[in-house]
mmCIF file of all heavy atoms in Angstrom:
data_model
loop_
_atom_site.group_PDB
_atom_site.id
_atom_site.type_symbol
_atom_site.label_atom_id
_atom_site.label_comp_id
_atom_site.label_asym_id
_atom_site.label_seq_id
_atom_site.Cartn_x
_atom_site.Cartn_y
_atom_site.Cartn_z
ATOM 1 N N MET M 1 287.520 77.830 -80.066
ATOM 2 C CA MET M 1 286.282 77.453 -79.451
ATOM 3 C C MET M 1 285.029 78.064 -80.200
ATOM 4 O O MET M 1 284.985 79.190 -80.450
ATOM 5 C CB MET M 1 286.194 77.979 -78.015
ATOM 6 C CG MET M 1 285.165 77.311 -77.110
ATOM 7 S SD MET M 1 285.510 75.672 -76.664
ATOM 8 C CE MET M 1 286.431 75.831 -75.217
ATOM 9 N N THR M 2 284.140 77.109 -80.402
ATOM 10 C CA THR M 2 282.890 77.556 -81.092
ATOM 11 C C THR M 2 281.741 77.431 -80.142
ATOM 12 O O THR M 2 281.523 76.389 -79.404
ATOM 13 C CB THR M 2 282.647 76.739 -82.366
ATOM 14 O OG1 THR M 2 283.778 76.960 -83.220
ATOM 15 C CG2 THR M 2 281.403 77.293 -82.994
ATOM 16 N N TYR M 3 280.791 78.377 -80.167
ATOM 17 C CA TYR M 3 279.653 78.199 -79.246
ATOM 18 C C TYR M 3 278.455 78.063 -80.114
ATOM 19 O O TYR M 3 278.363 78.728 -81.216
ATOM 20 C CB TYR M 3 279.442 79.540 -78.478
ATOM 21 C CG TYR M 3 280.633 79.711 -77.378
ATOM 22 C CD1 TYR M 3 281.716 80.389 -77.880
ATOM 23 C CD2 TYR M 3 280.587 79.204 -76.162
ATOM 24 C CE1 TYR M 3 282.793 80.661 -77.037
ATOM 25 C CE2 TYR M 3 281.554 79.497 -75.218
ATOM 26 C CZ TYR M 3 282.782 80.034 -75.686
ATOM 27 O OH TYR M 3 283.770 80.334 -74.836
ATOM 28 N N GLN M 4 277.538 77.193 -79.697
ATOM 29 C CA GLN M 4 276.341 76.939 -80.450
ATOM 30 C C GLN M 4 275.130 76.821 -79.661
ATOM 31 O O GLN M 4 275.172 76.428 -78.458
ATOM 32 C CB GLN M 4 276.640 75.514 -81.153
ATOM 33 C CG GLN M 4 275.364 74.973 -81.966
ATOM 34 C CD GLN M 4 275.672 73.656 -82.599
ATOM 35 O OE1 GLN M 4 276.612 73.516 -83.230
ATOM 36 N NE2 GLN M 4 274.772 72.739 -82.445
ATOM 37 N N PHE M 5 274.051 77.290 -80.154
ATOM 38 C CA PHE M 5 272.815 77.288 -79.540
ATOM 39 C C PHE M 5 271.708 76.726 -80.457
ATOM 40 O O PHE M 5 271.602 77.348 -81.511
ATOM 41 C CB PHE M 5 272.325 78.670 -78.887
ATOM 42 C CG PHE M 5 271.112 78.644 -78.133
ATOM 43 C CD1 PHE M 5 271.090 78.430 -76.795
ATOM 44 C CD2 PHE M 5 269.881 78.762 -78.693
ATOM 45 C CE1 PHE M 5 269.878 78.393 -76.014
ATOM 46 C CE2 PHE M 5 268.641 78.816 -78.046
ATOM 47 C CZ PHE M 5 268.751 78.611 -76.619
ATOM 48 N N GLU M 6 270.878 75.839 -80.018
ATOM 49 C CA GLU M 6 269.777 75.361 -80.724
ATOM 50 C C GLU M 6 268.498 75.671 -80.119
ATOM 51 O O GLU M 6 268.402 75.254 -78.890
ATOM 52 C CB GLU M 6 269.981 73.767 -80.837
ATOM 53 C CG GLU M 6 269.992 73.173 -82.302
ATOM 54 C CD GLU M 6 270.256 71.692 -82.361
ATOM 55 O OE1 GLU M 6 271.078 71.236 -81.676
ATOM 56 O OE2 GLU M 6 269.313 71.071 -82.895
ATOM 57 N N CYS M 7 267.627 76.347 -80.726
ATOM 58 C CA CYS M 7 266.320 76.605 -80.137
ATOM 59 C C CYS M 7 265.511 75.383 -79.964
ATOM 60 O O CYS M 7 265.364 74.552 -80.889
ATOM 61 C CB CYS M 7 265.628 77.714 -80.962
ATOM 62 S SG CYS M 7 264.080 78.262 -80.234
ATOM 63 N N GLU M 8 264.906 75.049 -78.876
ATOM 64 C CA GLU M 8 264.170 73.829 -78.709
ATOM 65 C C GLU M 8 262.640 74.159 -78.421
ATOM 66 O O GLU M 8 261.854 73.269 -78.067
ATOM 67 C CB GLU M 8 264.693 73.171 -77.436
ATOM 68 C CG GLU M 8 265.978 72.555 -77.777
ATOM 69 C CD GLU M 8 266.717 71.825 -76.631
ATOM 70 O OE1 GLU M 8 266.219 72.151 -75.488
ATOM 71 O OE2 GLU M 8 267.714 71.211 -76.758
ATOM 72 N N ARG M 9 262.121 75.306 -78.837
ATOM 73 C CA ARG M 9 260.827 75.745 -78.672
ATOM 74 C C ARG M 9 259.981 75.121 -79.807
ATOM 75 O O ARG M 9 260.324 75.462 -80.951
ATOM 76 C CB ARG M 9 260.505 77.129 -78.639
ATOM 77 C CG ARG M 9 261.147 77.830 -77.304
ATOM 78 C CD ARG M 9 260.497 79.207 -77.151
ATOM 79 N NE ARG M 9 261.311 79.913 -76.156
ATOM 80 C CZ ARG M 9 261.002 81.153 -75.843
ATOM 81 N NH1 ARG M 9 259.988 81.733 -76.359
ATOM 82 N NH2 ARG M 9 261.779 81.799 -74.903
ATOM 83 N N GLY M 10 259.072 74.308 -79.518
ATOM 84 C CA GLY M 10 258.166 73.710 -80.502
ATOM 85 C C GLY M 10 258.997 73.006 -81.608
ATOM 86 O O GLY M 10 259.987 72.224 -81.229
ATOM 87 N N ASN M 11 258.730 73.217 -82.862
ATOM 88 C CA ASN M 11 259.618 72.617 -83.839
ATOM 89 C C ASN M 11 260.509 73.639 -84.531
ATOM 90 O O ASN M 11 260.652 73.533 -85.838
ATOM 91 C CB ASN M 11 258.806 71.800 -84.874
ATOM 92 C CG ASN M 11 257.579 72.704 -85.442
ATOM 93 O OD1 ASN M 11 257.532 73.820 -85.245
ATOM 94 N ND2 ASN M 11 256.614 72.053 -86.143
ATOM 95 N N CYS M 12 260.873 74.553 -83.790
ATOM 96 C CA CYS M 12 261.800 75.706 -84.261
ATOM 97 C C CYS M 12 263.107 75.045 -84.732
ATOM 98 O O CYS M 12 263.679 74.269 -84.106
ATOM 99 C CB CYS M 12 261.974 76.621 -83.267
ATOM 100 S SG CYS M 12 263.003 78.183 -83.795
ATOM 101 N N GLN M 13 263.541 75.503 -85.870
ATOM 102 C CA GLN M 13 264.849 74.952 -86.475
ATOM 103 C C GLN M 13 266.076 75.971 -86.296
ATOM 104 O O GLN M 13 267.035 75.670 -86.852
ATOM 105 C CB GLN M 13 264.629 74.701 -87.942
ATOM 106 C CG GLN M 13 263.431 73.814 -88.251
ATOM 107 C CD GLN M 13 263.908 72.331 -88.014
ATOM 108 O OE1 GLN M 13 264.836 71.899 -88.504
ATOM 109 N NE2 GLN M 13 263.151 71.676 -87.172
ATOM 110 N N PHE M 14 265.836 76.947 -85.462
ATOM 111 C CA PHE M 14 266.833 77.936 -85.230
ATOM 112 C C PHE M 14 268.137 77.469 -84.694
ATOM 113 O O PHE M 14 267.976 76.665 -83.661
ATOM 114 C CB PHE M 14 266.288 79.081 -84.485
ATOM 115 C CG PHE M 14 267.282 80.148 -84.188
ATOM 116 C CD1 PHE M 14 267.627 81.098 -85.071
ATOM 117 C CD2 PHE M 14 267.909 80.271 -82.819
ATOM 118 C CE1 PHE M 14 268.631 82.138 -84.772
ATOM 119 C CE2 PHE M 14 268.904 81.220 -82.524
ATOM 120 C CZ PHE M 14 269.141 82.249 -83.512
ATOM 121 N N LEU M 15 269.282 77.700 -85.266
ATOM 122 C CA LEU M 15 270.562 77.251 -84.806
ATOM 123 C C LEU M 15 271.452 78.317 -85.046
ATOM 124 O O LEU M 15 271.625 78.922 -86.099
ATOM 125 C CB LEU M 15 270.983 75.973 -85.438
ATOM 126 C CG LEU M 15 272.178 75.316 -84.817
ATOM 127 C CD1 LEU M 15 272.134 73.788 -85.014
ATOM 128 C CD2 LEU M 15 273.433 75.777 -85.445
ATOM 129 N N VAL M 16 272.231 78.760 -83.951
ATOM 130 C CA VAL M 16 273.265 79.815 -84.193
ATOM 131 C C VAL M 16 274.566 79.250 -83.756
ATOM 132 O O VAL M 16 274.697 78.608 -82.691
ATOM 133 C CB VAL M 16 272.808 81.115 -83.414
ATOM 134 C CG1 VAL M 16 272.704 80.950 -81.845
ATOM 135 C CG2 VAL M 16 273.841 82.244 -83.719
ATOM 136 N N ARG M 17 275.647 79.621 -84.417
ATOM 137 C CA ARG M 17 276.933 79.264 -84.031
ATOM 138 C C ARG M 17 277.933 80.313 -84.307
ATOM 139 O O ARG M 17 277.913 81.063 -85.345
ATOM 140 C CB ARG M 17 277.381 78.058 -85.031
ATOM 141 C CG ARG M 17 278.440 77.240 -84.639
ATOM 142 C CD ARG M 17 278.722 76.024 -85.597
ATOM 143 N NE ARG M 17 277.796 74.990 -85.395
ATOM 144 C CZ ARG M 17 277.582 73.870 -86.164
ATOM 145 N NH1 ARG M 17 278.445 73.867 -87.256
ATOM 146 N NH2 ARG M 17 276.731 72.941 -85.902
ATOM 147 N N SER M 18 278.723 80.570 -83.320
ATOM 148 C CA SER M 18 279.792 81.633 -83.409
ATOM 149 C C SER M 18 280.936 81.421 -82.567
ATOM 150 O O SER M 18 280.871 80.625 -81.575
ATOM 151 C CB SER M 18 279.043 82.956 -82.942
ATOM 152 O OG SER M 18 280.107 84.002 -82.822
ATOM 153 N N SER M 19 282.083 82.002 -82.728
ATOM 154 C CA SER M 19 283.298 81.967 -82.000
ATOM 155 C C SER M 19 283.124 82.867 -80.773
ATOM 156 O O SER M 19 283.865 82.743 -79.790
ATOM 157 C CB SER M 19 284.384 82.168 -82.721
ATOM 158 O OG SER M 19 284.403 83.461 -83.229
ATOM 159 N N SER M 20 282.111 83.679 -80.696
ATOM 160 C CA SER M 20 281.905 84.562 -79.603
ATOM 161 C C SER M 20 280.604 84.215 -78.897
ATOM 162 O O SER M 20 279.527 84.193 -79.507
ATOM 163 C CB SER M 20 281.769 86.037 -80.148
ATOM 164 O OG SER M 20 281.049 86.812 -79.179
ATOM 165 N N SER M 21 280.718 83.871 -77.562
ATOM 166 C CA SER M 21 279.566 83.587 -76.829
ATOM 167 C C SER M 21 278.604 84.739 -76.647
ATOM 168 O O SER M 21 277.455 84.561 -76.609
ATOM 169 C CB SER M 21 279.937 82.929 -75.454
ATOM 170 O OG SER M 21 280.743 84.000 -74.684
ATOM 171 N N GLU M 22 279.147 85.952 -76.564
ATOM 172 C CA GLU M 22 278.307 87.058 -76.436
ATOM 173 C C GLU M 22 277.583 87.369 -77.694
ATOM 174 O O GLU M 22 276.324 87.710 -77.591
ATOM 175 C CB GLU M 22 279.225 88.333 -76.228
ATOM 176 C CG GLU M 22 279.861 88.481 -74.843
ATOM 177 C CD GLU M 22 278.652 88.443 -73.762
ATOM 178 O OE1 GLU M 22 277.637 89.181 -73.923
ATOM 179 O OE2 GLU M 22 278.847 87.692 -72.815
ATOM 180 N N GLU M 23 278.140 86.945 -78.867
ATOM 181 C CA GLU M 23 277.376 87.090 -80.136
ATOM 182 C C GLU M 23 276.240 86.042 -80.130
ATOM 183 O O GLU M 23 275.124 86.350 -80.551
ATOM 184 C CB GLU M 23 278.314 86.875 -81.247
ATOM 185 C CG GLU M 23 277.593 87.345 -82.629
ATOM 186 C CD GLU M 23 278.491 87.160 -83.804
ATOM 187 O OE1 GLU M 23 279.634 86.640 -83.631
ATOM 188 O OE2 GLU M 23 278.075 87.528 -84.913
ATOM 189 N N VAL M 24 276.429 84.875 -79.751
ATOM 190 C CA VAL M 24 275.491 83.822 -79.625
ATOM 191 C C VAL M 24 274.274 84.340 -78.761
ATOM 192 O O VAL M 24 273.262 84.244 -79.150
ATOM 193 C CB VAL M 24 276.059 82.460 -79.111
ATOM 194 C CG1 VAL M 24 274.946 81.526 -78.811
ATOM 195 C CG2 VAL M 24 276.966 81.951 -80.070
ATOM 196 N N LYS M 25 274.692 84.829 -77.573
ATOM 197 C CA LYS M 25 273.560 85.185 -76.558
ATOM 198 C C LYS M 25 272.671 86.332 -77.231
ATOM 199 O O LYS M 25 271.512 86.407 -77.126
ATOM 200 C CB LYS M 25 274.231 85.713 -75.346
ATOM 201 C CG LYS M 25 274.792 84.620 -74.481
ATOM 202 C CD LYS M 25 275.446 85.216 -73.205
ATOM 203 C CE LYS M 25 276.304 84.222 -72.530
ATOM 204 N NZ LYS M 25 277.148 84.852 -71.522
ATOM 205 N N GLN M 26 273.477 87.240 -78.002
ATOM 206 C CA GLN M 26 272.710 88.456 -78.544
ATOM 207 C C GLN M 26 271.748 88.021 -79.615
ATOM 208 O O GLN M 26 270.649 88.348 -79.721
ATOM 209 C CB GLN M 26 273.854 89.306 -79.155
ATOM 210 C CG GLN M 26 273.395 90.693 -79.447
ATOM 211 C CD GLN M 26 274.543 91.638 -79.840
ATOM 212 O OE1 GLN M 26 275.618 91.085 -80.077
ATOM 213 N NE2 GLN M 26 274.354 92.799 -79.948
ATOM 214 N N LEU M 27 272.274 87.025 -80.513
ATOM 215 C CA LEU M 27 271.452 86.527 -81.587
ATOM 216 C C LEU M 27 270.307 85.733 -81.039
ATOM 217 O O LEU M 27 269.148 85.789 -81.605
ATOM 218 C CB LEU M 27 272.293 85.673 -82.477
ATOM 219 C CG LEU M 27 273.359 86.462 -83.294
ATOM 220 C CD1 LEU M 27 274.320 85.609 -84.075
ATOM 221 C CD2 LEU M 27 272.555 87.384 -84.331
ATOM 222 N N VAL M 28 270.472 84.954 -79.979
ATOM 223 C CA VAL M 28 269.450 84.144 -79.352
ATOM 224 C C VAL M 28 268.329 85.010 -78.796
ATOM 225 O O VAL M 28 267.154 84.801 -79.052
ATOM 226 C CB VAL M 28 269.921 83.231 -78.185
ATOM 227 C CG1 VAL M 28 268.761 82.571 -77.526
ATOM 228 C CG2 VAL M 28 270.910 82.086 -78.846
ATOM 229 N N ARG M 29 268.811 86.119 -78.169
ATOM 230 C CA ARG M 29 267.744 87.070 -77.600
ATOM 231 C C ARG M 29 267.047 87.723 -78.642
ATOM 232 O O ARG M 29 265.735 87.789 -78.701
ATOM 233 C CB ARG M 29 268.434 88.163 -76.764
ATOM 234 C CG ARG M 29 268.821 87.702 -75.355
ATOM 235 C CD ARG M 29 269.218 88.786 -74.450
ATOM 236 N NE ARG M 29 270.331 89.654 -74.956
ATOM 237 C CZ ARG M 29 271.519 89.359 -74.512
ATOM 238 N NH1 ARG M 29 271.849 88.517 -73.653
ATOM 239 N NH2 ARG M 29 272.587 90.081 -75.027
ATOM 240 N N ALA M 30 267.626 88.078 -79.749
ATOM 241 C CA ALA M 30 266.950 88.663 -80.859
ATOM 242 C C ALA M 30 265.974 87.769 -81.604
ATOM 243 O O ALA M 30 264.966 88.023 -81.974
ATOM 244 C CB ALA M 30 268.067 89.206 -81.979
ATOM 245 N N HIS M 31 266.419 86.486 -81.617
ATOM 246 C CA HIS M 31 265.594 85.367 -82.258
ATOM 247 C C HIS M 31 264.250 85.241 -81.370
ATOM 248 O O HIS M 31 263.212 85.170 -81.934
ATOM 249 C CB HIS M 31 266.389 84.023 -82.339
ATOM 250 C CG HIS M 31 265.569 82.932 -82.563
ATOM 251 N ND1 HIS M 31 265.077 82.554 -83.812
ATOM 252 C CD2 HIS M 31 265.088 81.972 -81.768
ATOM 253 C CE1 HIS M 31 264.283 81.502 -83.724
ATOM 254 N NE2 HIS M 31 264.241 81.066 -82.465
ATOM 255 N N ALA M 32 264.522 85.057 -80.081
ATOM 256 C CA ALA M 32 263.284 84.931 -79.253
ATOM 257 C C ALA M 32 262.390 86.028 -79.345
ATOM 258 O O ALA M 32 261.124 85.846 -79.310
ATOM 259 C CB ALA M 32 263.870 84.785 -77.685
ATOM 260 N N ARG M 33 262.981 87.317 -79.438
ATOM 261 C CA ARG M 33 262.017 88.394 -79.574
ATOM 262 C C ARG M 33 261.220 88.480 -80.833
ATOM 263 O O ARG M 33 260.023 88.717 -80.807
ATOM 264 C CB ARG M 33 262.913 89.642 -79.467
ATOM 265 C CG ARG M 33 262.151 90.984 -79.076
ATOM 266 C CD ARG M 33 263.065 92.126 -78.663
ATOM 267 N NE ARG M 33 264.127 92.247 -79.509
ATOM 268 C CZ ARG M 33 265.481 92.261 -79.424
ATOM 269 N NH1 ARG M 33 265.842 92.039 -78.202
ATOM 270 N NH2 ARG M 33 266.352 92.495 -80.283
ATOM 271 N N THR M 34 261.909 88.247 -81.865
ATOM 272 C CA THR M 34 261.321 88.410 -83.224
ATOM 273 C C THR M 34 260.526 87.249 -83.664
ATOM 274 O O THR M 34 259.456 87.292 -84.315
ATOM 275 C CB THR M 34 262.365 88.579 -84.364
ATOM 276 O OG1 THR M 34 263.347 87.577 -84.329
ATOM 277 C CG2 THR M 34 263.027 89.929 -84.179
ATOM 278 N N VAL M 35 260.948 85.836 -83.364
ATOM 279 C CA VAL M 35 260.201 84.781 -83.739
ATOM 280 C C VAL M 35 259.272 84.273 -82.720
ATOM 281 O O VAL M 35 258.105 83.815 -83.118
ATOM 282 C CB VAL M 35 261.285 83.653 -84.207
ATOM 283 C CG1 VAL M 35 260.542 82.411 -84.444
ATOM 284 C CG2 VAL M 35 262.139 84.142 -85.269
ATOM 285 N N HIS M 36 259.590 84.311 -81.495
ATOM 286 C CA HIS M 36 258.636 83.839 -80.451
ATOM 287 C C HIS M 36 257.982 84.854 -79.676
ATOM 288 O O HIS M 36 257.192 84.631 -78.774
ATOM 289 C CB HIS M 36 259.488 82.994 -79.526
ATOM 290 C CG HIS M 36 260.126 81.813 -80.214
ATOM 291 N ND1 HIS M 36 259.482 80.739 -80.859
ATOM 292 C CD2 HIS M 36 261.404 81.441 -80.299
ATOM 293 C CE1 HIS M 36 260.330 79.948 -81.389
ATOM 294 N NE2 HIS M 36 261.543 80.390 -81.056
ATOM 295 N N GLY M 37 258.202 86.069 -80.092
ATOM 296 C CA GLY M 37 257.537 87.323 -79.366
ATOM 297 C C GLY M 37 257.668 87.411 -77.902
ATOM 298 O O GLY M 37 256.860 87.820 -77.246
ATOM 299 N N GLY M 38 258.801 87.000 -77.417
ATOM 300 C CA GLY M 38 259.022 87.175 -75.928
ATOM 301 C C GLY M 38 260.533 87.142 -75.621
ATOM 302 O O GLY M 38 261.340 86.955 -76.629
ATOM 303 N N ARG M 39 260.842 87.214 -74.405
ATOM 304 C CA ARG M 39 262.236 87.207 -74.067
ATOM 305 C C ARG M 39 262.623 85.785 -73.633
ATOM 306 O O ARG M 39 261.681 84.930 -73.300
ATOM 307 C CB ARG M 39 262.454 88.138 -72.828
ATOM 308 C CG ARG M 39 262.272 89.547 -73.248
ATOM 309 C CD ARG M 39 262.818 90.528 -72.126
ATOM 310 N NE ARG M 39 262.130 90.290 -70.815
ATOM 311 C CZ ARG M 39 262.595 90.485 -69.687
ATOM 312 N NH1 ARG M 39 263.836 90.978 -69.605
ATOM 313 N NH2 ARG M 39 261.860 90.388 -68.647
ATOM 314 N N ILE M 40 263.959 85.599 -73.613
ATOM 315 C CA ILE M 40 264.453 84.205 -73.147
ATOM 316 C C ILE M 40 265.205 84.437 -71.878
ATOM 317 O O ILE M 40 265.966 85.461 -71.890
ATOM 318 C CB ILE M 40 265.073 83.438 -74.316
ATOM 319 C CG1 ILE M 40 265.658 82.126 -73.760
ATOM 320 C CG2 ILE M 40 266.360 84.281 -74.788
ATOM 321 C CD1 ILE M 40 266.017 81.176 -74.929
ATOM 322 N N ASP M 41 265.014 83.647 -70.967
ATOM 323 C CA ASP M 41 265.788 83.724 -69.642
ATOM 324 C C ASP M 41 267.175 83.568 -69.924
ATOM 325 O O ASP M 41 267.610 82.562 -70.563
ATOM 326 C CB ASP M 41 265.175 82.694 -68.723
ATOM 327 C CG ASP M 41 265.608 82.947 -67.297
ATOM 328 O OD1 ASP M 41 266.789 83.253 -66.933
ATOM 329 O OD2 ASP M 41 264.685 83.061 -66.465
ATOM 330 N N PRO M 42 268.135 84.338 -69.469
ATOM 331 C CA PRO M 42 269.623 84.174 -69.681
ATOM 332 C C PRO M 42 270.014 82.853 -69.258
ATOM 333 O O PRO M 42 271.026 82.218 -69.743
ATOM 334 C CB PRO M 42 270.176 85.313 -68.741
ATOM 335 C CG PRO M 42 269.117 86.371 -68.664
ATOM 336 C CD PRO M 42 267.745 85.609 -68.772
ATOM 337 N N VAL M 43 269.368 82.268 -68.103
ATOM 338 C CA VAL M 43 269.769 81.065 -67.629
ATOM 339 C C VAL M 43 269.537 79.959 -68.564
ATOM 340 O O VAL M 43 270.345 79.039 -68.715
ATOM 341 C CB VAL M 43 269.022 80.691 -66.298
ATOM 342 C CG1 VAL M 43 269.274 79.232 -65.825
ATOM 343 C CG2 VAL M 43 269.306 81.734 -65.176
ATOM 344 N N ASP M 44 268.396 80.096 -69.364
ATOM 345 C CA ASP M 44 268.128 79.155 -70.450
ATOM 346 C C ASP M 44 269.126 79.112 -71.559
ATOM 347 O O ASP M 44 269.435 78.210 -72.173
ATOM 348 C CB ASP M 44 266.675 79.318 -70.962
ATOM 349 C CG ASP M 44 265.629 78.941 -69.874
ATOM 350 O OD1 ASP M 44 265.914 78.059 -69.142
ATOM 351 O OD2 ASP M 44 264.594 79.459 -69.939
ATOM 352 N N ILE M 45 269.636 80.468 -71.838
ATOM 353 C CA ILE M 45 270.685 80.534 -72.814
ATOM 354 C C ILE M 45 271.902 79.855 -72.452
ATOM 355 O O ILE M 45 272.536 79.061 -73.187
ATOM 356 C CB ILE M 45 270.894 82.102 -73.172
ATOM 357 C CG1 ILE M 45 269.607 82.824 -73.575
ATOM 358 C CG2 ILE M 45 271.951 82.219 -74.228
ATOM 359 C CD1 ILE M 45 269.796 84.305 -73.849
ATOM 360 N N GLU M 46 272.303 80.097 -71.225
ATOM 361 C CA GLU M 46 273.580 79.452 -70.705
ATOM 362 C C GLU M 46 273.465 77.940 -70.671
ATOM 363 O O GLU M 46 274.372 77.248 -71.062
ATOM 364 C CB GLU M 46 273.771 79.948 -69.242
ATOM 365 C CG GLU M 46 274.121 81.338 -69.143
ATOM 366 C CD GLU M 46 275.505 81.748 -69.498
ATOM 367 O OE1 GLU M 46 276.313 80.768 -69.676
ATOM 368 O OE2 GLU M 46 275.853 82.925 -69.525
ATOM 369 N N ARG M 47 272.215 77.514 -70.339
ATOM 370 C CA ARG M 47 272.079 76.014 -70.252
ATOM 371 C C ARG M 47 271.935 75.384 -71.635
ATOM 372 O O ARG M 47 272.426 74.252 -71.844
ATOM 373 C CB ARG M 47 270.625 75.741 -69.582
ATOM 374 C CG ARG M 47 270.428 74.356 -69.164
ATOM 375 C CD ARG M 47 269.214 74.216 -68.440
ATOM 376 N NE ARG M 47 269.155 74.972 -67.155
ATOM 377 C CZ ARG M 47 267.995 75.475 -66.675
ATOM 378 N NH1 ARG M 47 266.938 75.558 -67.205
ATOM 379 N NH2 ARG M 47 268.079 76.226 -65.452
ATOM 380 N N GLY M 48 271.383 76.121 -72.713
ATOM 381 C CA GLY M 48 271.308 75.621 -73.947
ATOM 382 C C GLY M 48 272.581 75.771 -74.905
ATOM 383 O O GLY M 48 272.688 75.182 -75.909
ATOM 384 N N MET M 49 273.437 76.563 -74.390
ATOM 385 C CA MET M 49 274.637 76.782 -75.233
ATOM 386 C C MET M 49 275.656 75.746 -75.007
ATOM 387 O O MET M 49 275.962 75.374 -73.962
ATOM 388 C CB MET M 49 275.358 78.178 -74.757
ATOM 389 C CG MET M 49 276.113 78.732 -75.876
ATOM 390 S SD MET M 49 276.316 80.460 -75.690
ATOM 391 C CE MET M 49 277.026 80.605 -74.087
ATOM 392 N N GLU M 50 276.133 75.261 -76.191
ATOM 393 C CA GLU M 50 277.042 74.137 -76.232
ATOM 394 C C GLU M 50 278.436 74.849 -76.691
ATOM 395 O O GLU M 50 278.486 75.559 -77.651
ATOM 396 C CB GLU M 50 276.711 73.134 -77.230
ATOM 397 C CG GLU M 50 275.458 72.292 -76.820
ATOM 398 C CD GLU M 50 275.044 71.484 -77.867
ATOM 399 O OE1 GLU M 50 275.857 70.467 -78.261
ATOM 400 O OE2 GLU M 50 273.880 71.415 -78.374
ATOM 401 N N ARG M 51 279.458 74.136 -76.170
ATOM 402 C CA ARG M 51 280.781 74.553 -76.641
ATOM 403 C C ARG M 51 281.448 73.509 -77.461
ATOM 404 O O ARG M 51 281.403 72.305 -77.109
ATOM 405 C CB ARG M 51 281.773 74.657 -75.444
ATOM 406 C CG ARG M 51 281.466 76.082 -74.641
ATOM 407 C CD ARG M 51 282.342 76.120 -73.415
ATOM 408 N NE ARG M 51 281.688 77.006 -72.478
ATOM 409 C CZ ARG M 51 282.325 77.344 -71.330
ATOM 410 N NH1 ARG M 51 283.428 76.911 -71.025
ATOM 411 N NH2 ARG M 51 281.630 78.321 -70.471
ATOM 412 N N ILE M 52 281.770 73.793 -78.705
ATOM 413 C CA ILE M 52 282.333 72.801 -79.581
ATOM 414 C C ILE M 52 283.812 73.073 -79.825
ATOM 415 O O ILE M 52 284.302 74.161 -80.167
ATOM 416 C CB ILE M 52 281.546 72.865 -80.879
ATOM 417 C CG1 ILE M 52 280.118 72.751 -80.647
ATOM 418 C CG2 ILE M 52 282.215 71.879 -81.865
ATOM 419 C CD1 ILE M 52 279.217 73.182 -81.814
ATOM 420 N N GLU M 53 284.593 72.034 -79.622
ATOM 421 C CA GLU M 53 286.031 72.086 -79.846
ATOM 422 C C GLU M 53 286.291 72.063 -81.417
ATOM 423 O O GLU M 53 285.714 71.148 -82.082
ATOM 424 C CB GLU M 53 286.692 70.901 -79.203
ATOM 425 C CG GLU M 53 286.534 70.813 -77.739
ATOM 426 C CD GLU M 53 287.493 71.719 -77.088
ATOM 427 O OE1 GLU M 53 288.391 72.402 -77.667
ATOM 428 O OE2 GLU M 53 287.370 72.069 -75.850
ATOM 429 N N THR M 54 286.929 73.044 -81.929
ATOM 430 C CA THR M 54 287.209 73.066 -83.310
ATOM 431 C C THR M 54 288.757 72.768 -83.500
ATOM 432 O O THR M 54 289.563 73.292 -82.722
ATOM 433 C CB THR M 54 286.769 74.375 -83.877
ATOM 434 O OG1 THR M 54 287.202 75.384 -83.136
ATOM 435 C CG2 THR M 54 285.347 74.408 -84.154
ATOM 436 N N ALA M 55 289.021 72.046 -84.538
ATOM 437 C CA ALA M 55 290.356 71.775 -84.788
ATOM 438 C C ALA M 55 291.259 72.984 -85.217
ATOM 439 O O ALA M 55 290.782 73.784 -85.830
ATOM 440 C CB ALA M 55 290.527 70.693 -85.834
HETATM 441 ZN ZN1 ZN B 101 263.143 79.461 -81.812
#
């Protein structure tokens, strides 16, 4: 299972993909903090995270 998150703020091109959902959440929080200068609601991370079936 692969987890993916695409940032949808403005025209941000950030995309993170990992086999660990915890790692995705961690990277998304770090991204929001460093690039957007703020925090992201955990609910928004859950909502934006996609699960991709990998062969
Ligand atoms: Zn972003």
Side-chain angles (χ1 to χ4, degrees):
M1 190 76 82
T2 300
Y3 298 89
Q4 176 180 306
F5 182 95
E6 238 181 303
C7 185
E8 288 174 347
R9 290 198 197 183
N11 50 10
C12 184
Q13 302 284 304
F14 176 78
L15 187 148
V16 62
R17 197 177 282 175
S18 172
S19 58
S20 159
S21 63
E22 281 309 311
E23 192 180 5
V24 169
K25 289 177 195 174
Q26 202 174 4
L27 290 169
V28 169
R29 281 197 297 267
H31 166 76
R33 196 168 54 235
T34 56
V35 177
H36 302 296
R39 291 193 302 156
I40 181 161
D41 198 308
V43 175
D44 289 332
I45 302 178
E46 293 285 351
R47 196 178 292 146
M49 199 157 60
E50 293 174 56
R51 288 176 199 183
I52 301 164
E53 298 283 351
T54 44

